[in-house]
Amino acid sequence: MSRHLEVREVLRRITASARRLLGAEYAALGVPDDHGGFAQFVVDGVTDEQWKAIGPLPRQHGVLAAMFDEGGPVRLDDVRGAPSFGGWPDAHPELDAFLGMPIVDPDHAEDEPAVLGVIYLANKAGGGFTDHDEELLRILAAHAALALSNARLYERSRELTLAGERARIAHDLHDAVSQKLFSLRLTAKAAAKLVDRDPARAREELAEVARLAAEAADELRAVVVELRPAALEEDGLSATLASQVQVLDRAHTADIAFAADRVRALPQAQEAALLRVAQEALHNALRHSGAARVTVTLAGTPARGALLRISDNGRGFDPESVRRAGRHLGLVSMRDRAAAVGGRLTLESAPGKGTVVEMEVPGA
């Protein structure tokens, strides 16, 4: 849990770990909002199709609310017999044995909620939940509180980094463009006064006006490009990747670089697949590898296609052991995206050797 820095991924890891640890058929983790509902609600043991059929996120009521109100665990032989049980949607799986445990922030301030979330487990294999199960879940919840707090602090620091970057751009806009426009205004006034008295000097001043105007336009354009995220359909794959790498480089401690070489326009489906694979590979490199440097390159191929390469100098891993453990790191999704557009994806990694992900698509 502690290796991950995105809140959503931490929540997913906590939920899956709790279900495996206690041998439950179903697990969920709810993070409260300020309106009697859940800001996030993660489930494990339910397929995507089942989750969609169940419907909207639940509210904080009945058994789900008990741990928010009381701040302690709830253990039931059959959740349907609880006085506060209020039923569930038609597509909801049938639950019996139930164990809920709050994730309590030990360092919360007086004006902040003590309960960060609640872990819910149901349908214990072989019978009901025991005292031992409850103690195990209590220990897990204590670790989960630290992991969740760290992830929230990380995301907050990233938001502050991006906010600082916006402030820098605003400062550049004021210092560079505003000063250029001020100089342009003064020069134009000087030229107007010299038109009759000294036409030659006036022409020189007007030439300076044109130069200042061109510089101001270039600097303003550069600031606008930084403020406006590149869009794939409008700007193409190279510009979109360059923009995203630039933002990630500012938001992370790792050095992230991008280079493009002889890249031709590709069919929209291929560019979209390359972009998604790049995003997934960058996510893995920045969240899991501990890399100090990540390099993204995009190059045209002799067959008029493109080759995308994402490499990092992180800790690496054994792809075979990851596959056996069921931790795909998005590799299945990346390979599916490549195959869907007639492309090919390869991955090379080893412990201590970093990771290289390559995707090649053919020409149209």
Side-chain angles (χ1 to χ4, degrees):
M1 291 185 296
S2 299
R3 288 201 307 269
H4 301 279
L5 294 173
E6 282 192 341
V7 169
R8 184 75 181 179
E9 179 65 15
V10 170
L11 295 175
R12 193 184 70 77
R13 293 277 174 171
I14 295 169
T15 310
S17 298
R19 186 168 81 93
R20 288 196 302 270
L21 182 66
L22 274 74
E25 185 176 4
Y26 302 110
L29 196 162
V31 175
D33 60 18
D34 297 326
H35 311 289
F38 291 98
Q40 292 176 298
F41 198 86
V42 179
V43 297
D44 195 71
V46 176
T47 66
D48 291 342
E49 291 74 16
Q50 287 175 309
W51 182 242
K52 289 177 183 176
I54 290 171
L57 288 180
R59 303 286 295 169
Q60 292 180 39
H61 59 76
V63 179
L64 295 185
M67 285 136 287
F68 290 109
D69 298 335
E70 301 168 11
V74 171
R75 177 155 50 106
L76 302 166
D77 291 332
D78 192 331
V79 68
R80 292 164 293 190
S84 58
F85 177 70
W88 44 57
D90 293 338
H92 198 284
E94 291 290 322
L95 308 181
D96 42 60
F98 176 89
L99 176 60
M101 181 69 65
I103 300 173
V104 180
D105 181 3
D107 301 317
H108 73 283
E110 290 185 3
D111 59 344
E112 295 177 352
V115 178
L116 301 174
V118 175
I119 306 171
Y120 305 104
L121 299 175
N123 296 16
K124 166 80 172 181
F129 294 101
T130 65
D131 291 342
H132 181 62
D133 291 329
E134 186 174 321
E135 185 58 27
L136 280 178
L137 191 57
R138 191 189 306 278
I139 294 170
L140 179 68
H143 287 285
L146 294 174
L148 186 53
S149 295
N150 288 340
R152 284 180 166 178
L153 286 172
Y154 172 79
E155 290 197 351
R156 179 57 180 157
S157 70
R158 186 169 59 177
E159 290 172 6
L160 291 173
T161 299
L162 295 176
E165 194 56 33
R166 286 194 292 269
R168 183 194 65 78
I169 292 172
H171 186 269
D172 289 348
L173 182 63
H174 178 270
D175 283 1
V177 181
S178 294
Q179 290 180 21
K180 281 287 192 308
L181 293 175
F182 182 69
S183 298
L184 191 154
R185 181 184 177 193
L186 292 180
T187 307
K189 283 184 175 181
K193 291 180 180 180
L194 291 168
V195 166
D196 296 327
R197 188 171 71 244
D198 189 347
R201 178 72 184 277
R203 282 194 294 272
E204 292 177 5
E205 295 296 327
L206 288 173
E208 180 68 6
V209 167
R211 186 187 69 80
L212 289 170
E215 288 185 3
D218 288 343
E219 292 183 8
L220 183 59
R221 189 178 299 112
V223 170
V224 169
V225 167
E226 286 195 71
L227 288 171
R228 177 181 62 83
L232 183 60
E233 293 182 7
E234 296 176 10
D235 302 311
L237 180 59
S238 291
T240 303
L241 269 176
S243 175
Q244 296 199 3
V245 166
Q246 187 179 54
V247 171
L248 289 172
D249 186 52
R250 290 172 180 159
H252 292 271
T253 56
D255 179 20
I256 311 168
F258 173 75
D261 181 33
R262 304 186 308 277
V263 181
R264 304 178 181 89
L266 298 167
Q268 184 178 344
Q270 286 188 345
E271 291 198 343
L274 286 164
L275 177 61
R276 297 294 176 260
V277 167
Q279 290 171 330
E280 185 68 38
L282 282 166
H283 171 90
N284 287 339
L286 295 172
R287 299 293 185 276
H288 307 301
S289 76
R293 180 171 179 81
V294 183
T295 303
V296 181
T297 59
L298 182 66
T301 64
R304 302 184 68 81
L307 176 65
L308 170 71
R309 188 174 192 268
I310 303 96
S311 62
D312 69 70
N313 64 351
R315 64 177 64 92
F317 62 96
D318 179 1
E320 183 60 25
S321 65
V322 166
R323 185 191 64 79
R324 288 197 302 268
R327 294 172 54 241
H328 302 297
L329 299 177
L331 300 180
V332 174
S333 171
M334 289 193 284
R335 289 197 173 99
D336 287 346
R337 289 186 187 279
V341 294
R344 175 178 58 88
L345 186 132
T346 60
L347 180 143
E348 295 180 9
S349 187
K353 301 293 184 181
T355 302
V356 177
V357 175
E358 287 189 348
M359 175 178 168
E360 183 174 1
V361 296

